[in-house]
């Protein structure tokens, strides 16, 4: 879906965002999006790292039973 947008479509979207939010709100909006993405990445890393010890423990149990 997004691969069909192209450069003119992105420029149009940016112009619409600029008109809707105004130039004074764009830095705040950018910071909010950035902090949201940062928190999301941190949460996913924590979830993945929490799963790894469980997988290692089950692997060790499987090796011992053989």
């Amino acid at each position: 879906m997004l691969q069909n947008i192209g450069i003119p479509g992105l420029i149009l979207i940016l112009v619409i965002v600029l008109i809707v939010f105004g130039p004074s709100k764009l830095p705040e909006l950018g910071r909010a999006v950035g902090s949201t993405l940062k928190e999301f990445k941190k949460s996913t890393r924590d979830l993945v790292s929490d799963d790894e010890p469980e997988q290692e423990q089950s692997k060790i149990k499987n090796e011992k039973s053989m």
Side-chain angles (χ1 to χ4, degrees), residues 2-19:
L2 292 176
Q3 55 219 9
N4 295 332
I5 292 177
I7 299 296
L10 288 175
I11 292 172
L12 180 64
I13 291 171
L14 290 174
V15 169
I16 291 172
V17 167
L18 182 62
I19 291 171

Side-chain angles (χ1 to χ4, degrees), residues 4-56:
N4 295 332
I5 292 177
I7 299 296
L10 288 175
I11 292 172
L12 180 64
I13 291 171
L14 290 174
V15 169
I16 291 172
V17 167
L18 182 62
I19 291 171
V20 170
F21 292 107
S24 62
K25 291 285 184 180
L26 283 181
E28 294 174 25
L29 186 64
R31 276 188 226 106
V33 169
S35 64
T36 302
L37 286 175
K38 184 178 177 182
E39 185 65 31
F40 178 75
K41 286 181 182 180
K42 181 181 173 190
S43 298
T44 54
R45 269 191 234 117
D46 289 344
L47 286 174
V48 169
S49 67
D50 287 346
D51 289 345
E52 287 176 359
E54 293 173 6
Q55 291 174 351
E56 290 176 9

